[in-house]
Each structure stands twice: as C-alpha cells, then as structure tokens.
Amino acid sequence: MRLSAAPNLNAMLWRSTFPVRLLISLILSVVAVSSVMGASLKPDDINDVNAQIKIIHPKPNQLVASVDSAFILGNVPAENDGQAYKLFINDQFVPVHPNGGFIAFLPIAPDTFQFHLEAYLVEKDRYKDLNGTSSKNDILSIHIQRALTKTLSVVVPKPMQTLPMDSTVFDREINLPSGDIVMTSGDRFKVEFRGTPGRAAWFGIPGVIDSVPMAELEPQMQQFFGESVFGAGGVPESLKVAGVYSGFYDIPPGVQCDTVRLNYCLGQLGVRELLHRFWLPPYEHDDRMLSMLLSMTDTTCADTISSYRVSINGPDYPFTVRFMDSVQIIRYAPRMGYFAIFQPKGVEALAVGAEADWYRIQLSKTQFAWVQKNSVEILPKGILPPSSYLASVRTYDSTGSLLFEFPLTGKHPFRVFEDDPKTLRIQLFGVTSNTDWIRYDFADTLVDIATWSQPENGVYEFKIHLRHDIWGYDTFYRGNTFYFQLNKAPEDLNDIEDKIIVIDPGHSKDSGAIGPTGYTEAEANLAIALKVAEKLQSRGAIVVLTREDMSDLPLYDRPTIAKIVDADLFVSIHNNALPDRINPFQNNGSSTYYYHPHSIGLARAIQKALVPKTELRDFGLYHGNLAVNRPTQYPAVLVECAFMILPEQEALLKTDKFRERIAEAITDGIEEFLKEAHNVRK
C-alpha cells in the first residue's frame, strides 16, 4: 500500500523535534489510510469480516502423498464491481477464476511444509495498466484495496535416500509382509531390506537355517502409482536408491519352526565374503587354515531381527475354511489383485498358510489364492473341501437368458474368463470330469458349442462358444448345484426405446471430490444424471436413477438396484480429481472406465462422444477395478465427465449448458453402442 503526504507538511515535520515528528506521522498515516479506503471501497466492503482465503485441499497438517510437488486449491472472494483478487502462494502468482476459485501446483519439501497465501484486492482497470503482469512487486505498486493472508502447514514424507558409506547401518525391511506369516514346504520365502551399500548381507531362520546369502540389487527407482496411471510420462525420475539387498529360501520338506523372528546381518565385504564368492562353496569351513583366515576378517556387523514372525509347517495347518460372506472376493495376494469375484456363501477351500489377517488357500496343485480371515469360518480338523465328479451339464433356455446347470456334491470355488467377445471359460476347483453328457436346449440360438477339459488335477474347465457377443452373465448355487446364467441382449438393439438403463449419480453422503469454490462432486453428479435421465427418456428409454436427491445411498446398494430392475445397461456419473503428486494442468479431461471385457464397447462409445461434446482433453479409456463396474450381469461403465478441482471446469459443471452437453454425449454414446451391437448381430 503506497501512501504520501502533502510536501508542505513533510517540510514542517522535518523541522520539528523527533517525538513531535513521530506523532504527526502516525496521525497523517491514519488520515491517509482512512481517505484511501473510504474513497476506494464501499462501506459494506470495509465491514465484510467474511472476506478470506478458503483452502479446500489439502487440510491442515495433512500428510501429503508426495515428496516434491503437490497441488493446493481453494477460493478467495469472487470478482465484484471491477475489483478482483490477485493471489500469490509462496510468492508465486496463481491465476484466480472470476468466481474466486484457484488451483496451484507447487514445489514442496520434506517434513513440515508451509503454504503462504497472499491475496490483494485491486481495481481491474489499474491492473490492466500493468499489462497483466504477474509480478508481486508490480501489483503492490498499484492501489491495493485489501490484503488477505493465510498460512497452511502440511506434512511431507521424506523420500528414501542412499545411506552414507562411513558406517554399516541396517535401515529397514522393505516389501515386508503385513504381519506374521505361515508357510509350508515348497514355498519360496523372499526377504529384502535396505542398508549401507557395498556390504555383504545374510538372513537366518532360527531352527531352520543360520545364514542365507543376500545380494545387493541395482539402484532402485522409487515408484509412485499415481504418476504411472494418471500422469503424462509414466514413473517419475525420482532419486535412485542403492543399498537394497534381496535373498530367498526355498522351503524343503521336513523343516519346521513356530513363530520365530528372522535374523538379519549386514557386514563388511571382507575375506569371508570374498572366499565365499570366489572359492569356497557356501558353509564349507572344515579346513583349519581357512577357518583361521575367516576368523581374521572384519567382523563389524549390523544385526537386527524381523518385525514379523514366521511359522513353517505349523501343526495347525492345513485346515478347511468355509466362506461366510454372501459375496466373497479371493485375491492373488493379500490386498492385491482379484483372483475371482462373487464367490457365494458356503464355498469351502483348504487353508495352507497365512499372512497377517489373510489365509492362503489351495485351489489345486498349482493354484493358490488369499481370503480375509474374518470372512471365513474354520471347520473341524479332518474335514476336507468337497471333491466332485461332474457327470453331465444341461442348458435351459428362457426369454431373457440361458441357464447352464452343473450338478456337484459341494460348493466349490470357481472363476470365469472372457477369452474374447464370443468365448467364455468357467473353471471349477476341486472338480474332476466324468462328463459323458452335455444336453443343449434346442430352442436356444445363442450357443454355438460347449466343450469341457481337465487342464490339471482338481480343475474342471467348461468352455462356451457363442454365436453373438457376450452381453452379461451371473453365477450362483442352489444347494450344491452350480448355475451359470448367460444373459441375452435386449430385443431390437437398433432402438434405444424400452431399454432399461440405470443411471447412477456417484457419491451422496460421501461428497466425493470438492471443487475450489466448495462445489461437491455429489452435487455435480446428480445434476448431470438428472439431465442424462431426461435425454434418455425423451428417446424412449426406461431410466432408473439410483438416487434422485442428496440422500445417502451406500456404494454396494447401487449395483443391487440394477440387478433388481433387470438392467440392460448401467452408467455411473462422476467427476474427477487427482493424487497429490500429479500435475492437474497437464493431466485432466474426460475419461471412461470399464471392468469386464463385455463392457468395453459401451465405454468406448461414450468416451468417443464425450470428448468432442465437452471440448475437454481426452483423458483416456481405462480398465478400472471399481465397485459399480464389477457386476457381470450387464455392460457397466463409470464416466468421469470433467475435473472438479480445476476452477474453469468446476465453473462449467455449475452451468446447465455444460450439463446438457455431457448428457447429450452420454446418451449418444449409449445409442451408438446399441447400434453397433445390433450391426454385429446381423
């Protein structure tokens, strides 16, 4: 703020004594400030105590999921009466949307990091005189109406760095299990830890083996999944870290230990290691001379024990577990990718190992998967999972579906593969073929041929070759009989009329992403979904909205609604945000997500229509493991229309015109998908 007094008064002040000069200066400053503020601002503006900087993301003291850069978004008061705020964050100019929203992508540093925000209210005409400069000093040189400030502290994690070479230090275990583990003969036990580079490393399992050699890996790149999925250039060029050691032990028959901790050792690379590497086979120390040489080596060593316990061939294993959840997911590893979905209550399997809160189950001689401990019950010792011999398979045709019947003697785990648009495979674990009969319903026109095979002991495989592309399917048990229901495409695909389409406005009680001005994704999704419903109904579709207002609707109730109404298609409406580390100015736009292969056609058609209608970037077509896309009964997609966190796109989402364009694109995409499906079936 620049103030000046009349020249004659200044001359008089300098002729006065110091106390008098100081007093008069203070009086003149107050008079000048009152004059300027009174002339430039309305009384209501002067008394507006609510004028402030509001930060939407990140929250105070939030742990930021990045180490070098992150975005911050929020709002200042909107433009008004030719006045607007000019914003600086950590002295960097940040553009502000006319509605007051802003977002900035800024460098950050580890430990506690502070964002300092300063917003200066200026007259737009005076700002134009500066030719749009973003210099803080230039902006401060013009007539400032008001200054707002705010400071936000966040916590930034420290990136992993190579340890110094001046001492031998064991730093930490890496890629470690989430808790205690139970293993069995034939398993491979892998260990990794980080320490001082250029050393020799071992690990031991008390009571099993004393010293398993480990090797130092090439310097490792620190990866961040968000960059590889959503970013522009794959994994970032983070610092490479040396000093990562890896070793493994294949568990032989006959060994046993119960809840022991591993021993780790990191030592100098001396005579002992050189002898082991270039002369001696491991663990040969019989020669007295060599023993003497080994005893003379540098024994400086960093020792520690593991943070988790290990059991091998424990007396309690194996045992049979029974699934208790109505719909169970089994995974390739704890908390990792899905091995199979929608396993019903009552399925049984053999537990042969464990890690923390997970059991490892054996499905066949070569195939294993993982289930959560709290989703199963342990059956008494002596009970084995069911073993069935499948003698026949039969199909039953109906108006909307074709049912395959597999009579078994127990509830077996299973999984389904879509090999291509016209081929399905069903694997039943614990089942052996005795299949002499496959009976087709002669009224059926969907199946070309069905075949069975036994790819390995205990794995029965049934393959279905179709005349038309897969539309959807369902799986369930009635008693011990397994059923596979193949859903037929709706009649007259060339016309959207009478198609049952479920439109799901994502989020509700959970607000989802939040824009710079506080507009929530739940609100935006609903506004768009209502427009989509209106468009579809105008073209004759039967539309079911999972919610029509802001009342709460749990996530897993949404596909349940679609199943109840026997949906032909399912579309979930969303708007996007990003992980902290991703630059939102480079990575944004419209995108569409599917899960099962039979849904990719719908996703492609909507994405193709969405990009030109929104006039936003093409942010991509994704396979995404999302709850509303996992149901198998119908084609299902999730649409991310725009980016909530960008001020310009948030502002667009508030307008009927933009919502209309999105709704028209989604409707056009659905219609085009149906027409393409019709043409394929000609």
Side-chain angles (χ1 to χ4, degrees), residues 384-447:
L384 285 172
S387 180
S388 296
Y389 297 92
L390 183 56
S392 64
V393 179
R394 182 173 179 177
T395 70
Y396 299 88
D397 185 60
S398 64
T399 302
S401 64
L402 180 69
L403 197 63
F404 291 79
E405 182 181 72
F406 300 82
L408 304 172
T409 56
K411 290 185 172 66
H412 296 258
F414 63 89
R415 62 175 171 174
V416 180
F417 299 90
E418 295 182 35
D419 290 338
D420 60 54
K422 292 184 174 65
T423 309
L424 286 154
R425 277 187 301 132
I426 305 162
Q427 285 187 343
L428 293 164
F429 297 99
V431 176
T432 301
S433 174
N434 186 31
T435 308
D436 293 329
W437 304 94
I438 299 176
R439 178 176 174 179
Y440 300 90
D441 191 320
F442 196 66
D444 165 52
T445 59
L446 182 56
V447 174

Side-chain angles (χ1 to χ4, degrees), residues 314-320 350-351 378-384:
D316 295 333
Y317 286 79
F319 52 81
T320 298
L350 190 68
I378 299 175
L379 301 185
K381 274 285 190 179
I383 296 178
L384 285 172

Side-chain angles (χ1 to χ4, degrees), residues 238-308:
S238 303
L239 292 174
K240 290 186 176 181
V241 178
V244 174
Y245 296 87
S246 177
F248 66 91
Y249 176 66
D250 290 331
I251 300 174
V255 301
Q256 187 174 2
C257 68
D258 190 26
T259 59
V260 300
R261 294 187 185 272
L262 304 182
N263 297 318
Y264 300 125
C265 181
L266 185 68
Q268 296 290 345
L269 190 61
V271 176
R272 179 188 299 270
E273 291 72 46
L274 293 174
L275 288 171
H276 275 214
R277 288 191 180 189
F278 303 113
W279 185 5
L280 281 176
Y283 320 120
E284 289 188 9
H285 307 298
D286 295 337
D287 190 283
R288 294 181 64 183
M289 180 62 71
L290 293 178
S291 296
M292 183 178 69
L293 287 171
L294 291 173
S295 68
M296 295 168 59
T297 61
D298 185 351
T299 57
T300 301
C301 190
D303 292 299
T304 191
I305 60 174
S306 64
S307 59
Y308 58 94

Side-chain angles (χ1 to χ4, degrees), residues 545-563:
L545 283 159
T546 58
R547 66 179 177 97
E548 299 183 35
D549 53 32
M550 294 301 293
S551 57
D552 185 36
L553 178 64
L555 176 62
Y556 288 96
D557 286 358
R558 298 163 191 259
T560 300
I561 292 170
K563 188 172 182 178

